[in-house]
């Protein structure tokens, strides 16, 4: 017999499938709120699902299939009670850039490729969750992500303009698409443009004047009514038409093995964006609603949603901040909100697939354009420009890369810039000389405290980063330069080492050589405030064979006192160091 109790088995299942616990412990008083929030949410899910499917280069119906299965999968596996997943405007261009060249104009092939892409995204994110790699999402720094989304917003906007004006173009790249749009303006359908602009005005106007009002729903309803009354289809305005009735059975997408490497590379980039969206949105709403979520379980949740989408003729999904906000504002309490919304979408597909048949295509373009405008965060770009121009430069380069190099290449540029920025910060850290400011306790940066006085013959240096292969020589050159320029020449160099959190073997060898070099000049190298793990590394690397163990001090003040005792200095030779009553005078 198994020694595992039923409670333990339930706990194990609920750990990986939190939705089971929600069902088992559901508070019935939440039911009215969850149902209302689900009904409100579905008014966004239908038009956005279809619009973002077209943005990804797929038939609109696939957006509804994707919406349904990802909501159900996340409700079972995802940890957040109110997070809403689904087709996303930031992923659409990446999906299209990946699958359309491979599909060569065949819609069925495009659907299969998108499904395989979703499966690969799901595999990457679930794997990252199991391996607890949620931190990888931080490879996209906030400024770089801001720039990426700004560039994406421009790409989306330009790509949707022909549809808004009622015609189509065939061009590649931002410049080509813009040129094709300008050249095709003589094909503009005035009815299509009018209904598209009206829809865009309703969506953006209500978002600004009354954020709680469902602007997209109102725009869709108005457009459908006008389409029927004015018979816009007869005026040459493209409409959605009757959607296929029913729901697809699960099937593994069949794609050529030769396409898998490109799909996988794209899946990694899509995963970075989707995971970054999910973790940041989840954390933000968790803080507002007063609950906690497990970041690695979030990866499993979004991975499961993508796996489900891939098996049901869908495409990769991410978290939607706007739809999550709608669910939150509508009173959503648990994952049941998503299940209610998914059930209503399925009911529409099964029983009233013609409900949106008269919806003009320019309305979908208006929905996408409105979403693209929200991606362009002008306020954040202004803030970066005002606060840190280097980070604004990163954002600008990333935006230009997305616009003029390509969407897929843009995500590579974003990651490379983020990693390069991390490396630059670590490889070229802030370093300074410390002195004693008569007006403030402790030892301070002489650049920030012009009145700070140095102890003659003692050079106190603070290095604010780990010491490793990329910055070891910079540290050595810094010390050499400071020693050369010091007046009078120092007898000691005391490193205030508290910010040094790590020491690799390359840096260890550099310190040993530097100590010998300084000793040859009659200068002692000493350290203060070493972290315990760094001191352990100094011992392990054998550095105490060259660096005197007696030159490791608990504080800068103790190091200064030892310098005074061993060199015969007194209080008249520099700033006074108050005596520590616990100091017994030993070096």
């Amino acid at each position: 017999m198994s020694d595992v109790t039923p409670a333990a088995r339930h706990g194990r299942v609920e750990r990986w499938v939190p939705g089971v616990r929600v069902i088992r412990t559901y508070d019935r008083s939440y039911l009215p709120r969850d149902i209302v929030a689900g009904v409100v949410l579905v008014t966004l899910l239908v038009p956005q699902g279809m619009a973002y499917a077209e943005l990804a280069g797929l038939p609109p119906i696939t957006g509804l299939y994707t919406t349904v299965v990802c909501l159900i999968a996340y409700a079972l596996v995802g940890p957040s009670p109110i997070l809403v997943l689904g087709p996303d405007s930031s992923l659409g261009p990446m999906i299209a850039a990946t699958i359309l060249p491979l599909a060569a104009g065949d819609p069925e092939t495009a659907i299969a490729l998108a499904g395989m892409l979703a499966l690969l995204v799901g595999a990457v994110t679930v794997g990252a969750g199991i391996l607890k790699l949620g931190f990888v999402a931080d490879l996209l720094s906030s400024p770089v992500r801001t720039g990426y989304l700004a560039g994406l917003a421009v790409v989306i906007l330009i790509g949707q303009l022909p549809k808004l004006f009622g015609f189509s173009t065939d061009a590649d790249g931002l410049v080509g698409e813009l040129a094709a749009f300008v050249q095709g303006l003589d094909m503009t359908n005035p009815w299509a443009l009018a209904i598209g602009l009206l829809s865009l005005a309703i969506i953006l106007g209500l978002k600004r004047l009354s954020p709680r009002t469902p602007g997209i729903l109102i725009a869709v309803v108005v457009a459908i009514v006008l389409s029927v009354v004015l018979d816009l289809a007869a005026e040459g305005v493209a409409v959605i038409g009757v959607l296929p009735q029913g729901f697809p059975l699960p099937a593994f997408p069949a794609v050529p093995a030769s396409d898998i490497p490109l799909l996988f590379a794209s899946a990694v980039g899509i995963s970075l964006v989707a995971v970054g969206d999910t973790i940041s949105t989840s954390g933000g709403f968790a803080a507002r609603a007063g609950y906690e979520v497990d970041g690695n379980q979030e990866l499993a949740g979004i991975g499961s949603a993508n796996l489900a989408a891939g098996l049901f003729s869908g495409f990769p999904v991410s978290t939607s901040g706007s739809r999550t906000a709608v669910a939150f504002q509508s009173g959503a309490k648990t994952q049941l909100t998503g299940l209610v919304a998914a059930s209503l979408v399925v009911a529409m597909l099964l029983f009233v697939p013609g409900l949106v048949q008269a919806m003009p295509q320019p309305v979908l373009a208006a929905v996408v354009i409105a979403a693209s405008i929200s991606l362009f965060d002008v306020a954040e770009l202004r803030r970066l420009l005002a606060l840190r121009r280097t980070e604004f430069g990163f954002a600008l380069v990333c935006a230009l890369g997305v616009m003029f190099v390509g969407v897929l290449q843009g995500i590579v540029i974003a990651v490379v810039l983020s990693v390069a920025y991390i490396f630059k910060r670590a490889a070229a850290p802030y370093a300074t000389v410390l002195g004693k400011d008569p007006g403030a306790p402790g030892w301070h940066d002489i650049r920030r405290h012009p009145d700070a006085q140095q102890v003659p013959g003692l050079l106190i240096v603070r290095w604010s980063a780990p010491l490793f292969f990329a910055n070891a020589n910079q540290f050595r050159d810094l010390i050499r330069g400071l020693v050369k320029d010091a007046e009078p020449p120092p007898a000691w160099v005391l490193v205030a080492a508290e910010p040094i959190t790590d020491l690799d073997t390359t840096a260890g060898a550099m310190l040993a050589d530097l100590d010998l070099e300084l000793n040859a000049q009659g200068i002692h190298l000493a350290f203060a405030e070493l972290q315990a793990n760094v001191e352990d590394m100094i011992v392990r690397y054998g550095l105490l064979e060259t660096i005197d163990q007696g030159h490791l001090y608990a504080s800068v003040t103790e190091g200064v006192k030892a310098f005074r005792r061993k060199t015969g200095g007194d209080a008249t030779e520099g700033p006074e160091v108050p005596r520590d009553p616990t100091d017994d005078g030993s070096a």
Side-chain angles (χ1 to χ4, degrees):
M1 290 181 60
S2 173
D3 293 331
V4 180
T5 65
R9 280 196 295 269
H10 284 311
R12 189 176 301 168
V13 171
E14 292 174 1
R15 176 187 174 191
W16 294 103
V17 189
V20 173
R21 181 177 62 253
V22 174
I23 295 171
R24 182 174 61 83
T25 63
Y26 189 77
D27 185 341
R28 293 186 179 181
S29 65
Y30 292 163
L31 187 59
R33 297 182 186 181
D34 283 339
I35 291 176
V36 170
V39 172
V40 173
L41 184 61
V42 80
T43 63
L44 278 179
L45 295 178
V46 172
Q48 285 189 337
M50 292 191 294
Y52 297 158
E54 290 208 328
L55 180 61
L58 296 163
I61 187 64
T62 61
L64 300 185
Y65 298 155
T66 302
T67 296
V68 169
V69 296
C70 76
L71 286 174
I72 295 172
Y74 185 83
L76 293 174
V77 182
S80 173
I82 60 173
L83 208 64
V84 178
L85 269 64
D88 187 69
S89 58
S90 63
L91 300 188
M94 297 178 69
I95 298 168
T98 303
I99 66 172
L100 294 186
L102 299 175
D106 182 8
E108 293 302 319
T109 301
I111 292 172
L113 289 166
M116 179 57 72
L117 186 59
L119 290 178
L120 292 172
V121 171
V124 169
T125 48
V126 168
I130 293 173
L131 296 175
K132 301 186 184 303
L133 298 179
F135 67 90
V136 174
D138 295 333
L139 288 178
L140 288 178
S141 68
S142 180
V144 167
R145 181 173 173 75
T146 298
Y148 172 78
L149 292 177
L152 200 60
V154 175
V155 170
I156 293 172
L157 178 62
I158 298 300
Q160 293 296 308
L161 285 178
K163 188 185 298 183
L164 186 73
F165 280 63
F167 62 91
S168 61
T169 60
D170 184 14
D172 293 322
L174 182 70
V175 175
E177 289 184 348
L178 183 59
F181 166 68
V182 173
Q183 293 169 3
L185 283 175
D186 58 345
M187 296 185 292
T188 299
N189 183 315
W191 291 98
L193 180 59
I195 199 68
L197 291 178
L198 175 62
S199 301
L200 189 59
I202 292 173
I203 295 170
L204 296 179
L206 288 177
K207 182 178 180 180
R208 182 177 182 85
L209 300 175
S210 180
R212 291 179 178 270
T213 303
I216 293 178
L217 173 63
I218 293 174
V220 167
V221 171
V222 169
I224 291 176
V225 170
L226 290 177
S227 178
V228 173
V229 171
L230 301 176
D231 194 12
L232 293 182
E235 300 294 340
V237 178
V239 295
I240 295 296
V242 178
L243 298 174
Q245 190 169 20
F247 202 81
L249 295 174
F252 193 84
V255 301
S258 58
D259 292 341
I260 296 298
L262 176 60
L263 292 173
F264 181 77
S266 179
V268 173
I270 290 173
S271 296
L272 281 173
V273 175
V275 169
D277 274 344
T278 299
I279 291 181
S280 60
T281 304
S282 174
F285 279 95
R288 292 170 63 182
Y291 61 86
E292 295 183 1
V293 293
D294 181 346
N296 292 306
Q297 185 65 37
E298 284 289 13
L299 294 182
I302 191 172
S304 299
N306 277 282
L307 290 173
L311 295 174
F312 285 88
S313 303
F315 51 89
V317 299
S318 181
T319 299
S320 168
S322 61
R323 279 165 276 175
T324 301
V326 168
F328 179 73
Q329 292 167 1
S330 301
K333 303 297 291 184
T334 73
Q335 291 92 329
L336 183 63
T337 295
L339 296 179
V340 170
S343 300
L344 291 174
V345 176
V346 170
M348 183 192 80
L349 293 174
L350 292 178
F351 305 114
V352 282
L355 185 64
V356 294
Q357 64 178 339
M359 183 192 299
Q361 287 278 4
V363 175
L364 298 184
V367 171
V368 174
I369 289 173
S372 73
I373 292 173
S374 69
L375 294 178
F376 201 107
D377 194 340
V378 177
E380 178 62 13
L381 290 171
R382 286 177 177 170
R383 190 181 75 88
L384 290 174
L385 181 61
L387 297 181
R388 193 152 188 164
R389 294 195 174 186
T390 301
E391 296 191 359
F392 173 79
F394 283 151
L396 183 61
V397 168
C398 193
L400 293 175
V402 172
M403 288 188 284
F404 297 107
V405 179
V407 174
L408 291 178
Q409 295 88 336
I411 191 66
V412 175
I413 292 172
V415 173
V416 169
L417 281 178
S418 290
V419 173
Y421 187 49
I422 295 169
F423 195 76
K424 176 183 179 297
R425 294 286 298 273
Y430 185 77
T432 189
V433 174
L434 302 184
K436 189 75 173 178
D437 188 338
W443 297 86
H444 301 279
D445 183 345
I446 62 173
R447 299 173 190 168
R448 304 291 297 271
H449 294 257
D451 295 332
Q453 303 172 28
Q454 299 181 59
V455 178
L458 176 63
L459 184 62
I460 307 174
V461 181
R462 183 171 63 207
W463 179 262
S464 300
L467 263 175
F468 67 114
F469 67 92
N471 61 26
N473 288 340
Q474 292 188 52
F475 178 86
R476 179 199 62 199
D477 294 342
L478 171 73
I479 299 299
R480 284 176 176 174
L482 291 173
V483 167
K484 180 181 178 181
D485 296 339
E487 273 299 330
W492 280 32
V493 173
L494 178 63
V495 180
E498 185 180 17
I500 300 176
T501 58
D502 196 11
L503 182 73
D504 73 358
T505 56
T506 302
M510 177 276 297
L511 289 178
D513 292 341
L514 180 62
D515 186 48
L516 292 174
E517 179 183 322
L518 293 175
N519 288 344
Q521 302 175 51
I523 302 172
H524 294 287
L525 180 63
F527 294 86
E529 302 174 351
L530 279 170
Q531 296 195 25
N533 67 310
V534 177
E535 189 168 350
D536 291 343
M537 292 174 191
I538 286 177
V539 174
R540 187 183 314 133
Y541 297 161
L543 298 184
L544 295 184
E545 295 177 7
T546 54
I547 299 174
D548 188 347
Q549 187 168 8
H551 285 164
L552 306 182
Y553 301 100
S555 68
V556 172
T557 297
E558 285 191 15
V560 174
K561 290 178 180 178
F563 165 77
R564 290 187 180 282
R565 285 193 301 269
K566 294 187 177 185
T567 60
D570 57 40
T572 63
E573 294 181 291
E576 180 65 32
V577 180
R579 176 171 177 78
D580 184 347
T582 64
D583 182 29
D584 61 5
S586 61

